[in-house]
Amino acid sequence: MKLATLRDGSLDGQLLLVSRDGQRAVRAGAIAPSLIEALRRWDEVQAPLGELYAALNAGSAPGAFDFDPAACTAPLPRAPQWLDGSAFLNHGRLMEQAFNTPPIPLFDSVPVMYQGASDDFLGPLDDVPLPSEADGIDFEGEFGVVTGPVPMGVSPEAALACVRLVVQVNDWSLRALGPHEMKTGFGFLQAKPSTAFAPVAVTPDELGSAWRDGRVQMQLNVLWNGERFGEPHGGEMNFHFGQLIAHAARTRRLTAGTIVGSGTVSNVARSAGSACIAERRVIEKIDQGEIRTGFMAFGDRVRLQACFEDGQAGPFGMIDQRVVPATGAP
């Protein structure tokens, strides 16, 4: 199934089902008013949602209408938790060089993860208001999963069975604020503004063979101001999503609707490009001896879209956002 959330002024929006071709949608409020409610009652609503989805794809769903991503919020406008890993070790090692920090202990064997804000996610086409260009504005293209309830102490294999949905993420970062917060030992706060999501969340079966080994086996195509920035592949993820979920649940339960991110998609091969500016900058320093790329300016746009290995556009839709000054910013 493909699910989205219609913006209606409420905190959780209205649940939509989106056709497999991404062209049509239908309200699913008679089954569950919102996606978070559907996730809480997944065993109860999965079958009726599937029946309505089949009718939508067959062209027989009453009340169907043209799907408009611009009318959508993030699939979950807010969530119980947003936990973001750093599962691509190539990216983490490059960031150690970028921030001049010592190697993280057990980096190869224990996932790195932070808990971000989950109360104010951005929609796929929303402007991104930020206080200052001097903060080092950066995008971060990722994949993520949305879980059902996860028991404490779950194994990585059992954790994969808790995945309900797969999502595409832009985890905005303010790079000038990150080094200080990392050195405090308390983790990110100001360096991580609201995260954005592509309009459509999908059940893993919608990805076919592109959901394999607990990873999204797709390229994430990134354009900055209309120019190619990179298309790294999600299959190079060192820790799979089951391992990330199990790490998060080692000492606590996770409630339905928890979102777990992969961290910035990153490939060892330089030819793949990057999914964030910070990574390109440190590669420039390593390969060319100097940083040549600046961070984002107000008015800049970033576009992210996952694609299958044959080049076909993926089912999540597109994130296409512009950075703007926050109200009252200098």
Side-chain angles (χ1 to χ4, degrees):
M1 288 182 288
K2 299 173 66 172
L3 305 103
T5 294
L6 183 67
R7 193 188 308 271
D8 67 353
S10 69
L11 290 174
D12 296 310
Q14 295 182 36
L15 178 61
L16 301 180
L17 285 167
V18 181
S19 61
R20 185 163 282 118
D21 65 5
Q23 298 302 305
R24 301 282 284 171
V26 65
R27 290 176 174 84
I31 302 171
S34 64
L35 181 53
I36 188 62
E37 181 64 20
L39 289 161
R40 289 171 181 150
R41 299 192 289 118
W42 191 254
D43 291 342
E44 174 189 343
V45 305
Q46 185 178 13
L49 285 174
E51 292 171 4
L52 182 58
Y53 183 60
L56 177 64
N57 287 316
S60 59
F65 54 92
D66 290 342
F67 178 59
D68 179 11
C72 292
T73 65
L76 283 170
R78 57 179 182 159
Q81 292 192 81
W82 159 232
L83 306 170
D84 198 21
S86 183
F88 294 85
L89 298 188
N90 179 66
H91 176 77
R93 292 185 178 113
L94 289 170
M95 290 304 98
E96 287 175 357
Q97 295 182 60
F99 291 120
N100 194 28
T101 56
I104 298 171
L106 305 177
F107 189 55
D108 292 349
S109 57
V110 179
V112 175
M113 185 173 289
Y114 80 93
Q115 184 165 349
S118 61
D119 61 330
D120 184 33
F121 291 139
L122 298 173
L125 306 180
D126 290 349
D127 283 345
V128 183
L130 293 169
S132 173
E133 292 177 347
D135 289 338
I137 302 168
D138 198 358
F139 49 84
E140 289 195 61
E142 308 186 9
F143 294 110
V145 296
V146 184
T147 76
V150 181
M152 182 171 60
V154 68
S155 69
E157 294 73 23
L160 276 179
C162 298
V163 172
R164 298 288 181 264
L165 301 169
V166 185
V167 292
Q168 180 188 309
V169 184
N170 184 6
D171 182 39
W172 288 95
S173 291
L174 300 176
R175 299 297 189 183
L177 306 181
H180 169 73
E181 292 190 327
M182 292 171 71
K183 290 175 183 177
T184 66
F186 277 76
F188 294 123
L189 180 68
Q190 294 178 350
K192 289 293 185 178
S194 295
T195 302
F197 291 80
V200 179
V202 306
T203 50
D205 59 287
E206 290 288 331
L207 298 180
S209 63
W211 175 250
R212 190 172 69 253
D213 302 325
R215 298 167 172 85
V216 180
Q217 306 284 346
M218 302 176 73
Q219 291 180 331
L220 187 56
N221 290 3
V222 183
L223 297 177
W224 179 13
N225 291 332
E227 296 185 0
R228 180 257 184 191
F229 197 82
E231 54 283 322
H233 194 279
E236 212 165 295
M237 195 172 166
N238 296 85
F239 297 104
H240 63 65
F241 278 110
Q243 292 170 297
L244 294 182
I245 295 167
H247 175 76
R250 181 176 179 270
T251 59
R252 55 176 162 169
R253 297 172 296 170
L254 307 181
T255 58
T258 294
I259 307 173
V260 179
S262 67
T264 305
V265 181
S266 178
N267 292 174
V268 173
R270 299 282 203 259
S271 59
S274 298
C276 74
I277 300 170
E279 183 171 297
R280 174 182 278 190
R281 284 165 57 91
V282 73
I283 288 172
E284 288 173 341
K285 185 175 182 179
I286 293 168
D287 292 354
Q288 304 171 37
E290 62 178 357
I291 294 172
R292 300 181 178 182
T293 302
F295 289 111
M296 299 183 80
F298 292 141
D300 281 5
R301 302 191 74 95
V302 62
R303 171 177 166 176
L304 303 97
Q305 184 167 36
C307 291
F308 292 104
E309 291 178 343
D310 63 1
Q312 178 184 352
F316 308 106
M318 185 187 306
I319 298 174
D320 189 356
Q321 296 185 286
R322 180 181 59 146
V323 177
V324 299
T327 302

